[in-house]
Amino acid sequence: MTSEITKNIEDIKRRVEKAAIKSGRKFEDIKIIAVTKTIDSERINEVLDENILDLGENRVQEICRKYDEIKRPCNWHMIGHLQTNKVKYIINKVAMIHSLDSFELAQELQKRAKRAGISMDVLVEVNVSGEISKYGIAPKDVLDFIKKASVFPNIKIKGLMTIAPNAQNTEDIRMVFKEIYKIFLDIRKENINNIDINYISAGMSNDFEVAIEEGANIVRVGTSIFGKRN
């Protein structure tokens, strides 16, 4: 019998493909990250069975615990706000950090990555909507921030991340995704040394199709895979 998670993933893949085609791309151009916040290892393994190998977590302690529990090949992504004093716990565990939002955090990532002898892929979090409740660099400051952070040899800025406001109608937030794509293009034009900007991480369960239509190539999907969390 097909599990609920399998059915959900099949549906998400169809929707991702449709949105990708609408934006002139293919399904393979979009990375789906399964957001595993509060989800147990058994259900995470079901996702891995469906060949979704990128897993996103908001909290450092959940990454550390699940990193040890899941004994299969997968890529962990830190997608939540990251405090500088927690960097040391995940620097060797994650494939990418989506939430670089301050110069202090960039300094700490550089220090820890250098000490570990690795290069850390990061995305700069941009607060496109300007909501006070959200972290991220203001759109007008992103270019200067990236130029400043480009001096760190052990962190590689690979793109941008944003979180759109909650909206009943996704058309109301389409501008957020248009804006992050515009910022992305503007930064690419600059050809900044040590910056290889290829990714836009934007769009979650309620709005990933609009995000893809407007240029996102990483989507972070939890509820649409696992159902409502407790």
mmCIF file of all heavy atoms in Angstrom, residues 3 23 36 41 44 58 104 111 117 138 158 182 184 191 200:
data_model
loop_
_atom_site.group_PDB
_atom_site.id
_atom_site.type_symbol
_atom_site.label_atom_id
_atom_site.label_comp_id
_atom_site.label_asym_id
_atom_site.label_seq_id
_atom_site.Cartn_x
_atom_site.Cartn_y
_atom_site.Cartn_z
ATOM 1 N N SER A 3 2.193 4.729 0.940
ATOM 2 C CA SER A 3 2.064 5.530 2.164
ATOM 3 C C SER A 3 1.636 6.957 1.834
ATOM 4 O O SER A 3 1.768 7.420 0.696
ATOM 5 C CB SER A 3 3.386 5.551 2.928
ATOM 6 O OG SER A 3 4.254 6.510 2.356
ATOM 7 N N SER A 23 8.180 28.314 -15.871
ATOM 8 C CA SER A 23 9.265 29.301 -15.794
ATOM 9 C C SER A 23 10.393 28.997 -16.787
ATOM 10 O O SER A 23 11.502 29.541 -16.667
ATOM 11 C CB SER A 23 9.820 29.364 -14.362
ATOM 12 O OG SER A 23 10.533 28.178 -14.058
ATOM 13 N N THR A 36 12.286 18.661 8.052
ATOM 14 C CA THR A 36 12.016 17.544 8.957
ATOM 15 C C THR A 36 11.826 17.970 10.416
ATOM 16 O O THR A 36 11.945 17.156 11.323
ATOM 17 C CB THR A 36 13.159 16.504 8.861
ATOM 18 O OG1 THR A 36 14.411 17.159 9.110
ATOM 19 C CG2 THR A 36 13.212 15.871 7.482
ATOM 20 N N SER A 41 12.649 9.705 12.837
ATOM 21 C CA SER A 41 13.573 9.085 11.877
ATOM 22 C C SER A 41 12.862 8.145 10.902
ATOM 23 O O SER A 41 13.230 8.068 9.724
ATOM 24 C CB SER A 41 14.660 8.300 12.613
ATOM 25 O OG SER A 41 15.390 9.172 13.436
ATOM 26 N N ILE A 44 11.377 10.186 8.212
ATOM 27 C CA ILE A 44 12.452 10.766 7.394
ATOM 28 C C ILE A 44 12.990 9.715 6.420
ATOM 29 O O ILE A 44 13.249 10.014 5.247
ATOM 30 C CB ILE A 44 13.578 11.336 8.283
ATOM 31 C CG1 ILE A 44 13.070 12.539 9.085
ATOM 32 C CG2 ILE A 44 14.788 11.733 7.434
ATOM 33 C CD1 ILE A 44 14.019 13.041 10.157
ATOM 34 N N ASN A 58 15.493 23.537 11.277
ATOM 35 C CA ASN A 58 15.528 24.897 11.823
ATOM 36 C C ASN A 58 16.399 25.008 13.062
ATOM 37 O O ASN A 58 16.825 26.102 13.412
ATOM 38 C CB ASN A 58 14.115 25.342 12.227
ATOM 39 C CG ASN A 58 13.215 25.503 11.024
ATOM 40 O OD1 ASN A 58 12.892 24.533 10.358
ATOM 41 N ND2 ASN A 58 12.817 26.729 10.746
ATOM 42 N N GLU A 104 28.968 39.086 11.774
ATOM 43 C CA GLU A 104 29.509 38.309 12.907
ATOM 44 C C GLU A 104 29.371 36.806 12.627
ATOM 45 O O GLU A 104 30.277 36.024 12.919
ATOM 46 C CB GLU A 104 28.769 38.652 14.210
ATOM 47 C CG GLU A 104 29.017 40.058 14.742
ATOM 48 C CD GLU A 104 28.362 41.153 13.888
ATOM 49 O OE1 GLU A 104 27.307 40.914 13.270
ATOM 50 O OE2 GLU A 104 28.949 42.257 13.837
ATOM 51 N N LYS A 111 35.879 31.122 10.719
ATOM 52 C CA LYS A 111 36.787 30.597 11.741
ATOM 53 C C LYS A 111 36.614 29.083 11.908
ATOM 54 O O LYS A 111 37.589 28.329 11.908
ATOM 55 C CB LYS A 111 36.510 31.310 13.079
ATOM 56 C CG LYS A 111 37.435 30.878 14.207
ATOM 57 C CD LYS A 111 37.188 31.692 15.480
ATOM 58 C CE LYS A 111 36.171 30.984 16.355
ATOM 59 N NZ LYS A 111 35.960 31.703 17.640
ATOM 60 N N GLY A 117 38.997 22.593 8.288
ATOM 61 C CA GLY A 117 39.621 22.290 7.002
ATOM 62 C C GLY A 117 38.622 22.060 5.882
ATOM 63 O O GLY A 117 38.837 21.233 5.000
ATOM 64 N N ALA A 138 18.627 43.588 4.833
ATOM 65 C CA ALA A 138 17.708 44.424 4.044
ATOM 66 C C ALA A 138 18.143 44.399 2.578
ATOM 67 O O ALA A 138 19.349 44.395 2.289
ATOM 68 C CB ALA A 138 17.715 45.853 4.566
ATOM 69 N N LYS A 158 26.697 30.971 -2.143
ATOM 70 C CA LYS A 158 26.153 30.281 -3.313
ATOM 71 C C LYS A 158 24.827 30.867 -3.789
ATOM 72 O O LYS A 158 24.278 30.417 -4.796
ATOM 73 C CB LYS A 158 25.952 28.792 -2.991
ATOM 74 C CG LYS A 158 27.241 28.037 -2.752
ATOM 75 C CD LYS A 158 27.968 27.826 -4.053
ATOM 76 C CE LYS A 158 29.208 26.960 -3.907
ATOM 77 N NZ LYS A 158 29.890 26.779 -5.188
ATOM 78 N N LYS A 182 15.359 39.537 -8.697
ATOM 79 C CA LYS A 182 16.003 40.758 -9.216
ATOM 80 C C LYS A 182 17.330 41.007 -8.478
ATOM 81 O O LYS A 182 18.361 41.308 -9.095
ATOM 82 C CB LYS A 182 15.070 41.946 -9.049
ATOM 83 C CG LYS A 182 15.625 43.267 -9.574
ATOM 84 C CD LYS A 182 14.650 44.421 -9.311
ATOM 85 C CE LYS A 182 15.259 45.756 -9.712
ATOM 86 N NZ LYS A 182 16.484 46.083 -8.956
ATOM 87 N N PHE A 184 19.146 38.807 -6.954
ATOM 88 C CA PHE A 184 20.011 37.705 -7.404
ATOM 89 C C PHE A 184 20.702 38.058 -8.730
ATOM 90 O O PHE A 184 21.923 37.925 -8.869
ATOM 91 C CB PHE A 184 19.130 36.450 -7.537
ATOM 92 C CG PHE A 184 19.748 35.265 -8.212
ATOM 93 C CD1 PHE A 184 20.563 34.388 -7.509
ATOM 94 C CD2 PHE A 184 19.466 34.969 -9.549
ATOM 95 C CE1 PHE A 184 21.109 33.269 -8.126
ATOM 96 C CE2 PHE A 184 20.008 33.857 -10.170
ATOM 97 C CZ PHE A 184 20.831 33.006 -9.455
ATOM 98 N N ASN A 191 29.943 40.080 -10.721
ATOM 99 C CA ASN A 191 31.119 39.190 -10.824
ATOM 100 C C ASN A 191 32.096 39.375 -9.661
ATOM 101 O O ASN A 191 33.289 39.615 -9.870
ATOM 102 C CB ASN A 191 31.859 39.401 -12.158
ATOM 103 C CG ASN A 191 31.102 38.798 -13.322
ATOM 104 O OD1 ASN A 191 30.553 37.704 -13.201
ATOM 105 N ND2 ASN A 191 31.041 39.514 -14.427
ATOM 106 N N ILE A 200 18.566 30.299 -5.450
ATOM 107 C CA ILE A 200 17.574 31.073 -4.698
ATOM 108 C C ILE A 200 16.735 30.066 -3.928
ATOM 109 O O ILE A 200 16.021 29.250 -4.520
ATOM 110 C CB ILE A 200 16.664 31.913 -5.610
ATOM 111 C CG1 ILE A 200 17.458 32.950 -6.383
ATOM 112 C CG2 ILE A 200 15.574 32.597 -4.784
ATOM 113 C CD1 ILE A 200 16.637 33.719 -7.413
#
